[in-house]
Amino acid sequence: MSPAYEGDHLDFRDARITGFTAKEERYYPRPPREASASLPGAPAVFLGRHDELDQLMRVLDPQADTSGTGTGEPHLAVCVVSGHDGLGKSALALRAAHRAVANDWFPGGVFYVDLHRPGTDPLADDEAVRILLSYLGVGDHEVSGLATAWDGHYRTCLAQRPGPALLLLDNAVQAEQIERLRPGVAHHRVLVTSRSGLTDLEAHAIRLRPLSTADSLSLLVTLLSMGVDGENRAVQEPDAMSLLVDLCEGVPLNIRRAAAGLRKRPDVTIAEYVKLLVENRAAHEARLGAEESTARIGWLQRFGGPWLRRRGP
Ligand SMILES: Nc1ncnc2c1ncn2[C@@H]1O[C@H](COP(=O)(O)OP(=O)(O)OP(=O)(O)O)[C@@H](O)[C@H]1O
Ligand SMILES: [Mg+2]
């Protein structure tokens, strides 16, 4: 008896068709699909967020009872990490997903879909299903008919995974997107990031807040000195560093941009950099008016760039 065939052709092994037996070496099994390969890398430097990461890992653990009822009954876990842009939702989710992979929690695979890449329209719902189906080994030509048939096919494929699977759905815009992609099998996990809270969704919610001052400072110092010999501005200008940390308002994206701006210009003091950022932000706020002036990011990107170019060699 031949072992079960999992290739993508009809299995004629051992079949007597026209008087001969099909030969084993004629078979070209479909290569194994490495579902986890769709996961982007987590940031190499990741600081703080210990509580949030612990909370997330508890929800993701496929062995855990996530029903919250204490009955021990398995329950599909969806977790939404929300917060405004640049706060580190995707970084946290990726960190957790990679940790879960390292723990071997998801033998059924880890599937990543970016539902709304910056600067583009959100992914159409059908497109997200098609991408996931392709990760699951189903090509466009293999599914035809109505989109609802695709949904059924998608859930069937997920149900057939060899163990718990994790879906990481980044940058979700609406709860409906997630509802449609929610697997039917209880041991799978869905991790969502979204700028809005997606409060319509039955899900665990982790709302990110700005990084603490201590974590912000550690991040800035780490990024500034990483791999750069003789970089000692942070040590020489502690007061200016504190001001710069305040300006970044605990937003990791701001901290990364500030560090990148300083790394590009080793000849500029931190005090000089801060002074110009403050001037630039004031100009930005005056232009936008009171309402938008509270936006935590944007000004650093828009004004950090031109200023750095002006001062460039
Ligand atoms: N805790 C952290 N430690 C170090 N770097 C971080 C941390 N959190 C986020 N970052 C970095 O800050 C930047 C912004 O983070 P991220 O892209 O995760 O934000 P986001 O909340 O997903 O933003 P958006 O809403 O635009 O998708 C990235 O470069 C990321 O690597
Ligand atoms: Mg993101």
Side-chain angles (χ1 to χ4, degrees), residues 74-274:
H75 189 270
L76 172 67
V78 178
C79 186
V80 178
V81 179
S82 64
H84 66 70
D85 32 340
L87 263 189
K89 302 176 293 296
S90 302
L92 175 68
L94 286 170
R95 188 83 175 175
H98 279 281
R99 195 176 275 192
V101 169
N103 290 349
D104 283 333
W105 280 358
F106 294 109
V110 179
F111 307 93
Y112 172 90
V113 183
D114 191 346
L115 296 172
H116 189 190
R117 292 172 69 86
T120 62
D121 289 334
L123 213 60
D125 292 356
D126 286 352
E127 199 58 29
V129 175
R130 278 179 54 202
I131 290 171
L132 282 163
L133 273 171
S134 77
Y135 289 163
L136 290 160
V138 181
D140 273 1
H141 62 282
E142 291 172 78
V143 188
S144 55
L146 299 171
T148 48
W150 298 6
D151 292 2
H153 213 69
Y154 160 69
R155 282 191 294 272
T156 305
C157 289
L158 270 184
Q160 289 168 346
R161 299 304 293 174
L166 172 66
L167 301 184
L168 203 175
L169 305 173
D170 209 2
N171 297 314
V173 183
Q174 290 172 334
E176 292 75 33
Q177 289 177 297
I178 308 305
E179 286 296 357
R180 183 163 174 200
L181 300 174
R182 193 192 271 262
V185 175
H187 62 212
H188 296 325
R189 297 286 183 266
V190 184
L191 176 51
V192 180
T193 79
S194 177
R195 289 184 184 177
S196 64
L198 302 184
T199 44
D200 291 352
L201 211 57
E202 272 180 35
H204 294 263
I206 296 182
R207 185 154 191 86
L208 287 193
R209 310 215 164 276
L211 286 181
S212 68
T213 306
D215 286 336
S216 300
L217 183 62
S218 304
L219 181 56
L220 187 56
V221 170
T222 306
L223 294 172
L224 192 53
S225 53
M226 206 170 52
V228 183
D229 280 344
E231 171 60 72
N232 57 2
R233 285 176 288 180
V235 180
Q236 287 178 340
E237 299 183 74
D239 293 343
M241 278 294 277
S242 296
L243 287 172
L244 186 51
V245 164
D246 286 350
L247 276 175
C248 292
E249 300 190 298
V251 180
L253 185 62
N254 284 347
I255 297 168
R256 290 214 171 240
R257 283 176 180 158
L262 281 167
R263 281 166 66 101
K264 264 191 209 158
R265 296 296 178 274
D267 53 323
V268 169
T269 67
I270 295 173
E272 279 182 293
Y273 187 72
V274 167

Side-chain angles (χ1 to χ4, degrees), residues 2 23 32 52 74 135 156 193 226 230 278 287:
S2 303
K23 285 187 177 167
E52 293 90 343
Y135 289 163
T156 305
T193 79
M226 206 170 52
V278 169
R287 201 169 310 162

